[in-house]
Amino acid sequence: MIALAASAWYLPETSVRVADLPGLSDPERATCAALGIDRVPADDTLTAAELAARAGRRALATAGLDGGDVDVVVTVEPRAPQTLVSSEATRLQAMLGADRAMAFSVGGLGCASLTPALLAARGLLCADPDLATVLVLHGSKPATPGRYRHPVTVNGDSGGALLLRRRGALRIRDILLETNGAYADLFRVEYRDEEFARWREECTDPAAYAFRLAVETRNRLRDLLARLLGRNGLTPADVPCYLTQNLSTAAFRNWSEAIGVPIAKACSENLARYGHLGPNDVFFNLSTARETGEFGGRAVLLNISPAAAWSALLVTTEEGTAHEL
């Protein structure tokens, strides 16, 4: 297992009201209004790397460290990098002064791309005794200027940072990840012959998203949760807090019905205030749940991506753990 030594977030002070989003058709605006999102943080002057770096500096400061103390920088790659060919991973390494660290990026699974970053961090800490500190970073910026992905969610800007070590009070005790290549091109942005102002996320098969993927997601989440709890000697009642990414209030209802337990209030509150923050959502929700007392020492974090990928994490504190792996 690995431990979360520190986490931090950067959310722009400026925001956009969902009701004021431009360029939506009447059906899109009606769907958008029903998502349960009031506003999303937005600052078009900041790049994904700048958002991630601000969160990274906060996480290091919380742990009493600086960039020189970091052994590995893992960047969860942005959906639309600022430039092609250049390295976002080593750019962030330089921005944080993590000169002696190794740096690389992971991605390709949309909202669920944080999970392979955690798997990579766990593998490195298990395999190499010379490594002690891994910093996982993500700057979440929407792939298109419109911010709205029909009929799914509205994307806000954020930076997120997780500082991982072998030991600590907050443990990431287990990680499961599943993928299905049948949905690889379900959502896409055609960009090669379009200027950025005209970029738009397109669902290539609305019926597949609304029905086939929805059914598969319910089944996958149910099975993932059963596997995760079963191999850790737990029942659903042993976990007081279930957290997901923030897409919509309808998604919360569907996922809660699928797994048979309620989704924590922290998720719906953050959805209304911040919208969807991509791979930053689940641990940001965990941070909120810890502040409000919903966490209770043990939580399951669920992530879903229309890429398609599904993941489940078990996070516990020392005091909240009755079973050892």
Side-chain angles (χ1 to χ4, degrees):
M1 71 188 75
I2 54 177
L4 185 62
S7 62
W9 320 97
Y10 178 80
L11 298 166
E13 294 181 1
T14 53
S15 63
V16 175
R17 284 201 329 141
V18 169
D20 295 335
L21 289 175
L24 301 182
S25 65
D26 289 342
E28 288 175 332
R29 194 167 296 282
T31 301
C32 193
L35 294 172
I37 304 171
D38 297 328
R39 310 184 72 91
V40 295
D43 187 340
D44 292 336
T45 69
L46 295 176
T47 66
E50 288 165 336
L51 290 164
R54 293 186 183 198
R57 294 186 190 103
R58 289 182 176 180
L60 291 172
T62 298
L65 304 176
D66 60 30
D69 297 311
V70 178
D71 297 307
V72 185
V73 175
V74 181
T75 300
V76 179
E77 63 188 25
R79 301 309 301 274
Q82 193 72 12
T83 55
L84 298 176
V85 181
S86 56
S87 170
E88 288 289 288
T90 54
R91 188 195 314 278
L92 273 169
Q93 176 189 15
M95 292 172 74
L96 294 171
D99 299 330
R100 69 176 188 84
M102 74 168 84
F104 60 90
S105 64
V106 300
L109 299 181
C111 317
S113 292
L114 180 65
T115 305
L118 296 174
L119 289 169
R122 183 177 69 176
L124 287 167
L125 291 172
C126 289
D128 191 338
D130 292 335
L131 302 177
T133 303
V134 179
L135 184 61
V136 175
L137 302 166
H138 177 64
S140 187
K141 297 282 290 187
T144 65
R147 295 191 174 272
Y148 175 53
R149 176 191 291 171
H150 184 72
V152 185
T153 195
V154 181
N155 295 280
D157 295 347
S158 68
L162 307 178
L163 190 66
L164 303 169
R165 288 177 164 173
R166 292 184 182 85
R167 297 186 181 278
L170 190 63
R171 307 283 189 92
I172 302 172
R173 301 187 66 84
D174 205 358
I175 304 171
L176 293 177
L177 173 67
E178 296 179 357
T179 61
N180 183 350
Y183 302 97
D185 202 35
L186 184 57
F187 284 87
R188 66 185 181 188
V189 177
E190 297 286 357
Y191 74 95
R192 285 187 176 273
D193 298 318
E194 295 283 357
E195 60 183 59
F196 178 66
R198 295 174 60 86
W199 286 15
R200 186 176 179 86
E201 289 194 60
E202 174 192 5
C203 181
T204 59
D205 191 340
Y209 172 76
F211 299 103
R212 191 165 74 245
L213 180 58
V215 171
E216 182 167 357
T217 291
R218 291 173 67 92
N219 294 335
R220 293 268 192 168
L221 289 182
R222 189 182 300 115
D223 294 345
L224 272 175
L225 181 59
R227 283 179 55 204
L228 184 76
L229 296 179
R231 72 186 200 173
N232 287 281
L234 300 170
T235 69
D238 293 323
V239 179
C241 186
Y242 290 83
L243 300 158
T244 70
Q245 71 202 87
N246 302 334
L247 296 183
S248 68
T249 53
F252 292 150
R253 288 193 300 271
N254 290 336
W255 299 334
S256 179
E257 290 173 3
I259 62 178
V261 293
I263 303 301
K265 293 180 181 178
C267 298
S268 56
E269 292 170 357
N270 284 339
L271 172 72
R273 294 178 62 188
Y274 306 113
H276 180 45
L277 304 179
N280 289 332
D281 268 346
V282 288
F283 275 90
F284 181 57
N285 289 342
L286 175 62
S287 177
T288 302
R290 293 178 71 192
E291 293 174 358
T292 61
E294 279 193 283
F295 173 48
R298 190 181 287 141
V300 168
L301 281 58
L302 300 169
N303 229 330
I304 304 98
S305 169
W310 304 266
S311 74
L313 313 176
L314 177 61
V315 178
T316 69
T317 60
E318 291 281 350
E319 296 79 7
T321 302
H323 305 271
E324 290 293 332
L325 292 179

